[in-house]
Amino acid sequence: MSDNVLYKMLLFLSVFSAAGCSVKEQRDDCPCRLVLDFSETDINEMDKIRVCLYDGETAVYEKFSHAEDFMPEYVISAPREELELMAFSDAQGWFDVEEGIVIPVGQDCPRLYMYSNRLDTRRDMLRDTVHMHKNHCVMSIYMEGGASRGYDLCVKGNVNGYGNDGRPREGDFSYEPSLDDDSGYVVSLPRQSDSSLLLEIDDGTEVVKTFALGEYIKSGGYDWTAPDLEDLAVHVNWAVTTVSITVSSWDWVYECEIVI
């Protein structure tokens, strides 16, 4: 083989090798094709959905649209890094890109359905199935024996929404429910991280009684860590100083004596 032919072969191999490295570098810079599978989401429970991707410091992607726009799959060109995904139903305008979902004092929790997951998008394509879970508890409070007449009720707690990672957000929660058609008081609660919930009874001038509602619910066996939060009913009998707790799926009632 002549020196001229050998030189041309070496030149070709060096150019090919350089081109290969260039292609690899370009592919590393290309976004990941993130496919979110919403086919297992019941959109009858929600009108709109917001999808956010966070890189640990800020949002790198955000989309808020009608639920059907995400069905059955939704594709995002995501940066190649570790990202936090959060998808949730309409939060009534209380969503902040930096803070998450923050419930204002005086309001109860939106009827939220949520999904969050940690994703590694350092690849060409990634698929993730979105499972939207019920992240609110509708609690009905019944004051028996005429105890609520002329009084105002207020439910207080230490969770005021959800952070960008989907976890309960620490902050002041306070809501004064009104009587509904069933002569009960209804409040929608976010997922709790402790048993700090209180029920205050006010006669218009001052708080006359305070009930450790969170402790009663905890003692009754309610699970705040369940994927889907169940609704519950609380019956307070002021006259005989008892509280009874029932949950939608229970076939029994937890009853305890009020310690005042």
Side-chain angles (χ1 to χ4, degrees):
M1 181 180 297
S2 67
D3 292 341
N4 186 41
V5 173
L6 181 60
Y7 171 77
K8 289 182 178 180
M9 290 181 63
L10 291 174
L11 180 62
F12 172 78
L13 290 175
S14 64
V15 171
F16 179 79
S17 176
C21 292
S22 176
V23 170
K24 183 177 186 303
E25 290 172 358
Q26 291 174 5
R27 289 185 64 183
D28 286 344
D29 292 336
C30 290
C32 168
R33 187 172 187 269
L34 175 60
V35 181
L36 301 180
D37 183 356
F38 280 85
S39 62
E40 298 182 17
T41 298
D42 183 5
I43 62 174
N44 293 321
E45 299 289 348
M46 57 206 76
D47 178 37
K48 292 184 176 181
I49 294 175
R50 188 184 301 271
V51 171
C52 295
L53 290 173
Y54 295 92
D55 63 1
E57 296 182 357
T58 186
V60 298
Y61 182 86
E62 181 188 356
K63 174 74 172 181
F64 182 54
S65 187
H66 292 284
E68 58 265 23
D69 294 341
F70 295 93
M71 302 295 290
E73 294 181 348
Y74 186 73
V75 179
I76 300 173
S77 294
R80 296 194 178 209
E81 55 187 309
E82 290 188 357
L83 299 172
E84 191 77 41
L85 165 68
M86 190 161 85
F88 53 93
S89 57
D90 192 1
Q92 299 181 2
W94 298 338
F95 169 73
D96 181 88
V97 173
E98 300 298 328
E99 299 293 331
I101 301 171
V102 184
I103 303 170
V105 172
Q107 301 290 335
D108 63 350
C109 183
R111 306 298 171 93
L112 285 171
Y113 293 83
M114 296 178 61
Y115 173 76
S116 60
N117 195 16
R118 187 74 174 172
L119 304 177
D120 186 349
T121 57
R122 292 172 295 186
R123 62 194 73 188
D124 293 338
M125 177 181 174
L126 179 64
R127 174 180 290 272
D128 190 38
T129 301
V130 176
H131 296 279
M132 301 284 277
H133 291 289
K134 183 173 177 287
N135 235 16
H136 67 278
C137 165
V138 178
M139 179 174 65
S140 300
I141 305 172
Y142 300 93
M143 304 296 293
E144 299 177 352
S148 64
R149 294 174 186 172
Y151 294 92
D152 295 322
L153 275 62
C154 184
V155 178
K156 295 184 175 181
N158 293 330
V159 176
N160 71 344
Y162 296 93
N164 291 331
D165 56 1
R167 297 179 181 178
R169 184 181 186 279
E170 184 177 345
D172 292 334
F173 176 91
S174 179
Y175 179 68
E176 298 180 4
S178 301
L179 277 171
D180 66 5
D181 295 337
D182 296 325
S183 298
Y185 298 81
V186 178
V187 54
S188 179
L189 299 169
R191 188 180 296 272
Q192 300 295 295
S193 56
D194 57 26
S195 54
S196 64
L197 278 176
L198 297 176
L199 172 62
E200 293 182 348
I201 311 296
D202 194 310
D203 67 357
T205 59
E206 62 179 352
V207 175
V208 294
K209 290 188 184 296
T210 300
F211 301 103
L213 201 55
E215 292 293 340
Y216 300 142
I217 294 172
K218 177 183 177 181
S219 298
Y222 185 85
D223 186 6
W224 288 109
T225 66
D228 295 283
L229 295 179
E230 296 187 88
D231 297 334
L232 57 86
V234 177
H235 295 259
V236 180
N237 194 319
W238 197 333
V240 296
T241 63
T242 61
V243 170
S244 61
I245 309 290
T246 56
V247 177
S248 54
S249 67
W250 291 0
D251 55 3
W252 54 279
V253 177
Y254 170 76
E255 188 170 290
C256 63
E257 183 177 355
I258 299 174
V259 179
I260 300 176

